[in-house]
């Protein structure tokens, strides 16, 4: 009587999850030498196929131990109430002749049988007050190190902080690395000395120019060059600010991107470009392997910060070396005074 009642309750619980008609099959389990109950659920409307295998003893074999049912659900359109039942297990408990069902921990089928796997522990939620206390603790430690009477502690704290910032800036700059496109094969035009002199004079006289500022070479610079070459053969590229030796890097990069010819590089950081005799305006005037205006500015800011940070690290390392030298000198003087 109790066994038939428990089977009915079990069927009702599964049908509440899936809303389908169950089909029961009796199977003999050769491992446990016991009868098993194989339950298969099919819901044509929801396109569900649910399979459940329950090691469930009959009425004459009921024991107070919990009995597990492992089932899987294969669906194309899973609903919220079905998602809760996926890869879960039903546990039957009997306390004082009362049958109760509950969803237990996840089960895994192995060669030995069903093994219980504990769910991953969720992260413990930390309160806002605890977070503030932790931040306050770190700030107090930082203040202690900064105001320490020992100069070595102060220098090492600042040096470690600067090195961490340097690593962070390097990681940020890696995001702005753009893969260079494969170089197109083209026939470079050969200009005579007279043609070069003529193009140089005409380029110097004309007032139109393209500025290259702190952002460096990006897509907009090449676009402006092509727009000037629509009406003029030459264009001036003015690079300000420009570090020593950087003008040559700009000239090589713009030659690769615009396919122009460098006529002359002036001492005041001005490059004169010639578009070529057989110039054809490209469909995409701003190359794809260049940064946008906003990203070029962001990259410049990170580069400036990295440059200043590296200078600051060098300065701190020199201070630390001087402190160690002073410490050695002081210890030697102390030893000599003691020996005397």
């Amino acid at each position: 009587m109790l066994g038939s009642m428990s089977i009915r309750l079990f069927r009702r619980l599964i049908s509440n999850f899936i809303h389908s008609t169950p089909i029961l099959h009796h199977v003999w389990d050769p491992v446990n030498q016991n009868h098993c109950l194989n339950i298969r659920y099919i819901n044509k409307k929801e396109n569900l196929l649910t399979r459940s295998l329950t090691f469930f003893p009959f009425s004459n074999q009921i024991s107070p131990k919990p009995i597990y049912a492992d089932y899987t659900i294969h669906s194309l359109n899973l609903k919220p109430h079905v998602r809760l039942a996926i890869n879960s297990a039903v546990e039957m408990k009997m306390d004082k002749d009362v049958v109760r069902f509950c969803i237990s921990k996840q089960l895994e089928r192995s060669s030995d049988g069903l093994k219980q796997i504990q769910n991953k522990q969720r992260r413990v939620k930390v309160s806002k007050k605890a977070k503030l206390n932790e931040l306050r603790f770190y700030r107090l430690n930082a203040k202690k190190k900064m105001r320490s009477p020992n100069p070595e502690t102060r220098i090492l704290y600042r040096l470690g902080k600067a090195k961490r910032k340097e690593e962070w800036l390097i990681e940020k700059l890696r995001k702005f690395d753009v893969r260079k496109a494969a170089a197109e094969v083209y026939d470079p035009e050969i200009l005579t000395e007279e043609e070069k002199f003529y193009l140089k004079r005409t380029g110097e006289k004309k007032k139109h120019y393209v500025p290259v500022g702190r952002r460096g070479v990006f897509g907009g610079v090449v676009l402006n060059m092509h727009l000037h070459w629509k009406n003029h053969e030459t264009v001036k590229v003015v690079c300000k600010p420009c570090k020593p030796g950087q003008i040559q890097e700009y000239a090589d990069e713009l030659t690769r991107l615009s396919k122009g010819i460098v006529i002359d590089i002036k001492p005041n950081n001005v490059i004169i470009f010639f578009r070529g005799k057989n110039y054809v305006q490209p469909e995409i005037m701003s190359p794809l392997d260049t940064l946008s205006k906003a990203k070029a500015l962001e990259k410049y800011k990170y580069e400036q910060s990295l440059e200043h940070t590296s200078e600051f690290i060098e300065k701190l390392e020199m201070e630390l070396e001087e402190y160690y030298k002073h410490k050695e000198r002081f210890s030697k003087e102390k030893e000599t005074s003691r020996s005397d």
Side-chain angles (χ1 to χ4, degrees), residues 144-297:
K144 282 180 184 177
K145 288 177 182 177
M146 286 291 291
R147 296 172 184 176
S148 173
N150 187 4
E152 185 181 3
T153 307
R154 295 196 302 268
I155 294 168
L156 285 173
Y157 171 73
R158 291 162 70 194
L159 188 62
K161 195 175 177 182
K163 283 182 177 178
R164 286 196 298 273
K165 186 180 179 182
E166 188 182 32
E167 289 175 5
W168 178 76
L169 288 167
I170 290 166
E171 284 294 323
K172 283 284 183 183
L173 282 168
R174 279 178 189 167
K175 295 179 183 178
F176 297 98
D177 290 339
V178 182
R179 287 186 180 180
K180 291 183 179 180
E184 295 180 9
V185 180
Y186 68 99
D187 186 18
E189 297 176 10
I190 298 168
L191 300 173
T192 60
E193 291 297 325
E194 292 177 358
E195 288 173 336
K196 282 183 180 179
F197 180 77
Y198 167 74
L199 292 168
K200 180 181 172 182
R201 294 290 292 171
T202 52
E204 287 172 355
K205 286 178 181 178
K206 289 181 180 178
K207 294 180 180 179
H208 58 273
Y209 70 95
V210 175
V212 175
R214 56 183 181 170
R215 293 178 179 85
V217 177
F218 63 99
V221 176
V222 185
L223 173 67
N224 287 334
M225 287 175 71
H226 284 295
L227 291 175
H228 280 295
W229 281 340
K230 232 178 187 180
N231 303 317
H232 309 281
E233 288 183 334
T234 58
V235 65
K236 283 190 287 187
V237 177
V238 181
C239 306
K240 287 182 182 179
C242 191
K243 297 174 186 176
Q246 198 175 20
I247 190 74
Q248 190 61 46
E249 292 178 12
Y250 285 159
D252 296 338
E253 187 69 12
L254 288 169
T255 304
R256 184 183 70 82
L257 293 170
S258 65
K259 305 295 183 294
I261 301 167
V262 178
I263 299 299
D264 190 25
I265 299 175
K266 299 286 183 184
N268 57 346
N269 297 331
V270 175
I271 312 167
I272 299 172
F273 277 95
F274 173 54
R275 67 181 182 183
K277 296 175 184 177
N278 304 320
Y279 172 73
V280 179
Q281 194 176 45
E283 294 180 3
I284 301 170
M285 289 187 281
S286 181
L288 299 174
D289 57 340
T290 53
L291 296 172
S292 63
K293 189 175 183 180
K295 285 188 176 181
L297 180 61

Side-chain angles (χ1 to χ4, degrees), residues 327-339:
K327 196 175 178 182
E328 286 178 7
R329 201 181 305 122
F330 180 75
S331 61
K332 284 179 181 178
E333 287 176 2
K334 199 172 183 181
E335 285 175 3
T336 52
S337 63
R338 279 182 182 177
S339 60

Side-chain angles (χ1 to χ4, degrees), residues 296-340:
L297 180 61
E298 196 175 352
K299 184 184 177 183
Y300 167 77
K301 287 178 180 178
Y302 284 129
E303 283 175 347
Q304 287 291 105
S305 182
L306 182 62
E307 188 180 347
H308 295 314
T309 307
S310 59
E311 288 176 2
F312 183 64
I313 287 169
E314 287 178 6
K315 183 183 173 184
L316 287 173
E317 285 175 348
M318 287 176 67
E319 283 183 14
L320 195 64
E321 284 179 7
E322 286 176 5
Y323 171 74
Y324 286 144
K325 286 177 183 177
H326 174 74
K327 196 175 178 182
E328 286 178 7
R329 201 181 305 122
F330 180 75
S331 61
K332 284 179 181 178
E333 287 176 2
K334 199 172 183 181
E335 285 175 3
T336 52
S337 63
R338 279 182 182 177
S339 60
D340 293 340

Side-chain angles (χ1 to χ4, degrees), residues 135-146 157:
L135 286 170
R136 198 176 290 119
F137 172 74
Y138 285 126
R139 284 170 188 158
L140 286 170
N141 278 347
K143 280 183 181 178
K144 282 180 184 177
K145 288 177 182 177
M146 286 291 291
Y157 171 73

